Amino acid sequence: MAQPPILILHSSGTNRDGDAAQAIRLAGGVPHIVHLNHLRRGDVQINDHAALLIPGGFSYADALGAGQRLALELRLWFGEAVAELVSRGKPVLGICNGFQALVRAGLLPGPFEPNTHVVNRQVTLTENANGLFECRWVTLRVEPTVRSSWLQPLKDTLIRCPVAHGEGRFVTSSDDLTQELQTSGLVAFRYQTPTTQPTQPTQPTSACPQSSDARGLYPANPNGSVADIAGICDRSGAVVGLMPHPENHVFDWQRPHGAVGGSGLALFEALVEAAK
Amino acid sequence: MTVRVTVGAPLSPLAAALVAAAPLVGAEGLQNCDVYRVYHLDFDGARTQIERLCAEVLVDPVVEQVWIGTEPPRLGHSIEVAPLAGVTDVEARELESAARQLGLRNLRAATARRYDLQGNLTNETVALLSRRLLVNETIEQWSTGALPAVFPSRISVPTEVVAVPLRGLDDRELADLSKARLLSLDTHEMRAIQEYFGSLARHPTDAELETLAQTWSEHCVHKTFTAEIELLHSKANGQRIVSRHKSLLGELRQATEALNPWWLRSAFVDDAGIVAFDDDFDLAFKVETHNHPSALEPFGGANTGIGGVVRDVLAVSARPIACTNVLCFGPEDLSDERMPRGVHHPRRMREGVVAGIADYANKLGLPTLNGAVVYHEGYTANPLVYCGALGLLRHGKHRNSAQVGDRVVCIGGRVGRDGIHGATFSSASMDTTTVDTVGAAVQIGDPITEKGCIEVVERACEAGLYNAITDCGAGGLSSAVGEMGKHLGVDIHLEGLPLKYPGLQPWEIWLSEAQERMVLAVPHSALGALRELCADWDVELTDLGSFTGSNDLVVRHGDHTVINMSMDFLHHGLPRRKLSAIWVDPLPSLVSTPGLGDALLLEFLAHPDIASKEDIVRRYDHEVRGGSVVRPYVGQHGDGPADAAVIKPLTSADTTRAVVLSNGLCPRVGVHDPYAMALLALDEAVRNLVAVGGDPNRVALLDNFCWGDPTKSDRLGGLVRAVQGCVEGARRYAMPFISGKDSLFNEYEGRAIPGTLLISALGVVPDLHRAINSAQMRVGDDLWLVGWGSGALGGSVADALYALGATQVPSPLADPLPRYRRVHALIMAGLVSSAHDCSDGGLAVALAEMAIGARCGLAVTVPTDGEDAFTAFFNEGPGRLVLSAPRHNRDALAASLGRFGRLIGAATADELISIAASNDHAERSTPSISISLAEAVLAFTKRIG
């Protein structure tokens, strides 16, 4: 497939579907924004697509907790279809509200069992440490140890992009579990403190900023996530989720200040490549 | 059966925030607080189903615990808070819908919050905490201990249409009737109604009277702005000038018509003004106010303020793409003794308003990119909440002419008692009883329903499925349908409209200001396609009736005739008002300025109007849609204040053209001179726009007047002077007003707000790669000052900080455009690295803000132009910008700026902000103020930089 079709799921309240579609288009994929109603009616099939992207927004107003109702829909209606997509090795990416829904549906960190009634969840995304919605640019490192095969080309690189969420604090049920997520390569992205000064615009755009771990410090780690975890993947490596918005940094002009590099487009290029 | 479910988290950020906020509202002794969510679930089925519902959607097992049918022990003072019956409760609705998915078909849900307040607390402290932090009695009830479940009534009542006898009532009785029914109509207007129905030989129905009151309200027809007014203006020198005004609105329109630039598409016609963006696309811009509702219920008022203005833009068939807001509050540190009775404390007001705006705009997926916050004691009881929306539409696609035979179609939210009397309520002053009488005027928004409407309207417009569209705002269907069918007449059936709960009478359905609704004129042949589109996006649609061509407004409910009157009387029966106005200019005062010291500049940077608003702004998403180029805060640490917002509306297209949004307001100036306020606010909006790369030759303006009771001649005098300033401003700046709004009667117990004019500007940045911001100066750059100070300190932050008693305000510019054109040319040529305008706190604060954003020092010598150094540093005269530019561009800047520009210093590597004063700017004198960058960052942001 030269230009793989990528399904971008829209449910009531989704709002970064257009941003995600643009990133996919620039990365060489063909985005299809599909309303959940069309999937449910069977007008469109998930498995006619080469990847699934669940974008940001406030699905169903997040009235029952961020991504909670979308998670229920995913499990009740599309659990098996998503499991099939994953078993074919096709990438699934959840951004922000999409990440929250994947975690609440049990797809992240998995293992996912589509037919069980209730998910026994060990990790969650909950209210930011300061209790408030926060919008600001952050720096992420793609973990060198990440297990996901489609993230391999990005290992140890930096992405700069904004966060915009109120419930993005990654929490686990125990320190042992946090440790295990890291040792088994399930941690995909971590918040960083950039250490290089903004460079002059004369430098080539391939130059990459330097950084060190945020060590839980605000605002580099904007929400108090444990171990600076901004995103994770499942054991199969196909399913990936993160809170920040790499789809909002796919053009140079979107970057708010001086420093070059760290485009989010690389993430979508990796996804499209894996979907081929 | 009904089961009570309680969910709680041991360490919630909300609880921590409450403990931290308690002392700020005067409640001492709160040491700990546990917060629980409470759900009352009424259902038929097995308990195991409830357990599953809890596990699936109600509880996060990693951080929360749940009690089903039981309760956690109550610690300390336990209170519960629940919405009043009928208040929008999205959480309950979503829970019921999730339950249906899980097979619990008939589950009904009601929600509550439980707070266990612990510490050394008296009952009085608990009551104080509840009222100040936890409960708004306008929309919520509370009690100590458990609160019983409140489910909306299921009981329907017989439909009634009541005739209201008017025949034979004298003026006094008519006035009493107007007051008792909250009609906000004066005796002339009541008499006109009495005569009309006298000629029909019948009484009006309740719905007819209410419809007239809505349609004739200040809010809907701008009675003051269309009244005949005589102004007596007494100048300080004793001269008296009388001017006669046929219509203030007409004067503003004429100012625009006189300019009529080619890029102006539509002004003062539709719900929003429209200008060209490029050959294919237009931009729609509108700013509204939601002051009265926000005063009663800060969250809901601001929430629906955003919802309303976004619908205004949708009502010209534009896709909303960005939001703005400007907020005016009382001082946050206002002591209890100074608080008027029955008013929310400014801190609570701010918290609620900001949360309301963030909730709605973020959920709609709209970036909030521009705004301002002003604090003044005059806003304590009447906060101002200006909400703006920008939209993008394909040129030529918007249609606004309903045809005979078209269906009248309503899409969106369901109807409840929300917001009944909103339009008439906002056309009256408030007092301590307002909360009790108009509690029902408060609405709570539901942004996800509005988001559905946006998706539907965008596609319906593209497919040409409607001939006209309008939004359901103040006055509900009565205004929307009445206005849309003005030239045709309509026949409406109300019984088909879905209700939130039964028991509404026809007049309530007709008047309800339930949010998130649009009304469309749909050709019969397009109705099927529109129905399908709505079903795809989970939006409800009701076919209400048709446009008839009879020129009558006919409304029915089943067999009842609710309304039957002529559109002509409804729209042309309103008697014009004649008003008189007085304005007296203040006498000049002698001002002695304080001596200079380093601490002064830090005091300015920490002043509430100047200090960083990041704590507010970062709660708004300013990145969604991916079009943001210049954001509210800039620089490598993201804490330098930007002048204006730059947005690329078509992110995917190849064009480098972008939009710029800015604003200006200076209510402190207006206290002394409303005419100058208009010109100075306009100048502020323009120089902000120019500072980021906006083209001064292509700027459209919006006016928003917030004033006191216009039937009082002194209030009206200030208003007329401000309008005169706007009209003169449009001429001097060659910039048309494309839309406007007035919010009058901002008074509480006879005290008016400072008359406040917000000017919002919309412009174009020809090439976004040339857009700059205030934080890009680099060490070694030259610093240039454009313009001169006027010297007068009246209405300045300096005057407010040091109580100088200045009454003379800065002189507006006579010929403003040449300097702005030159600056714009330099920015577009890429010769300027950074620009910042001199506004609150004058030149010294502008320089410090640039240094903070860029994290470098600077050393300048400010020419005093004959003033003392304090005045030179801190005056807020118009027309001034600071530019930074690389040294090698010095000759180019000198040549281009000519007499408008002076080289005043350079950006330095020493992390010191050093500002000296000199009459001879060629020679540098000893620094008058020198502070470290770190001190400046701390004063401005309250954070260690």
Side-chain angles (χ1 to χ4, degrees), chain B residues 551-841:
Chain B
N551 287 320
D552 287 328
L553 173 63
V554 181
V555 180
R556 309 170 204 275
H557 188 286
D559 297 334
H560 297 268
T561 298
V562 181
I563 293 174
N564 187 354
M565 61 182 167
S566 83
M567 284 286 189
D568 186 54
F569 177 67
L570 181 61
H571 291 291
H572 302 113
L574 173 67
R576 252 179 100 195
R577 282 192 174 167
K578 283 185 183 164
L579 300 166
S580 59
I582 292 172
W583 181 260
V584 182
D585 285 337
L587 296 172
S589 60
L590 263 179
V591 177
S592 68
T593 53
L596 283 181
D598 294 348
L600 278 185
L601 183 51
L602 296 173
E603 284 167 12
F604 272 92
L605 289 172
H607 184 275
D609 283 9
I610 292 172
S612 173
K613 314 288 186 300
E614 253 192 285
D615 56 337
I616 292 176
V617 171
R618 296 220 175 270
R619 296 170 67 178
Y620 309 139
D621 190 342
H622 37 259
E623 301 290 346
V624 62
R625 298 187 62 82
S628 308
V629 182
V630 176
R631 298 143 171 98
Y633 282 89
V634 293
Q636 58 163 308
H637 291 264
D639 55 8
D643 290 82
V646 178
I647 310 153
K648 185 176 192 300
L650 299 156
T651 48
S652 57
D654 254 351
T655 174
T656 58
R657 182 176 282 258
V659 183
V660 51
L661 293 178
S662 67
N663 70 76
L665 79 165
C666 45
R668 286 194 184 84
V669 170
V671 173
H672 309 296
D673 187 346
Y675 178 83
M677 167 171 75
L679 285 155
L680 296 176
L682 203 164
D683 190 75
E684 185 186 359
V686 172
R687 54 181 199 265
N688 276 321
L689 177 141
V690 168
V692 296
D695 180 354
N697 296 311
R698 203 171 157 170
V699 179
L701 304 171
L702 305 186
D703 62 67
N704 278 86
F705 299 88
C706 287
W707 236 260
D709 179 351
T711 62
K712 296 175 181 163
S713 57
D714 59 334
R715 272 70 153 172
L716 186 62
L719 182 62
V720 176
R721 290 292 291 149
V723 172
Q724 288 177 321
C726 285
V727 169
E728 178 59 19
R731 193 187 66 75
R732 281 189 204 174
Y733 288 76
M735 295 174 188
F737 284 92
I738 60 166
S739 182
K741 194 67 210 283
D742 54 284
S743 162
L744 309 177
F745 299 97
N746 290 288
E747 300 215 358
Y748 192 85
E749 298 278 315
R751 289 191 59 182
I753 59 161
T756 306
L757 168 66
L758 169 67
I759 299 285
S760 306
L762 165 66
V764 168
V765 177
D767 178 359
L768 67 90
H769 299 294
R770 295 290 194 205
I772 56 173
N773 65 51
S774 63
Q776 291 164 306
M777 74 177 171
R778 287 188 286 267
V779 172
D781 278 359
D782 283 343
L783 289 171
W784 294 78
L785 173 63
V786 177
W788 308 265
S790 86
L793 290 172
S796 65
V797 170
D799 184 55
L801 252 177
Y802 302 109
L804 304 178
T807 58
Q808 265 190 306
V809 305
S811 306
L813 302 179
D815 184 18
L817 279 175
R819 73 185 66 188
Y820 292 133
R821 287 181 175 143
R822 289 176 196 211
V823 170
H824 178 65
L826 287 169
I827 292 174
M828 282 303 112
L831 296 171
V832 178
S833 58
S834 192
H836 193 30
D837 91 310
C838 302
S839 293
D840 288 357

Side-chain angles (χ1 to χ4, degrees), chain B residues 186-258:
Chain B
D186 70 17
T187 41
H188 292 290
E189 292 153 357
M190 288 298 287
R191 199 158 280 298
I193 294 171
Q194 189 183 38
E195 280 165 20
Y196 173 74
F197 285 97
S199 73
L200 299 182
R202 68 171 174 93
H203 297 306
T205 65
D206 46 5
E208 285 170 334
L209 196 54
E210 296 282 356
T211 300
L212 285 162
Q214 299 298 325
T215 310
W216 291 5
S217 68
E218 184 67 61
H219 190 98
C220 292
V221 290
H222 313 286
K223 284 186 267 207
T224 303
F225 268 72
T226 51
E228 276 179 44
I229 301 172
E230 186 176 280
L231 170 69
L232 172 61
H233 174 201
S234 302
K235 295 191 153 191
N237 63 10
Q239 194 190 350
R240 291 151 72 92
I241 302 168
V242 176
S243 58
R244 291 186 181 80
H245 303 263
K246 281 192 181 145
S247 157
L248 298 179
L249 191 59
E251 290 175 21
L252 286 164
R253 280 183 183 165
Q254 279 159 21
T256 292
E257 282 160 14

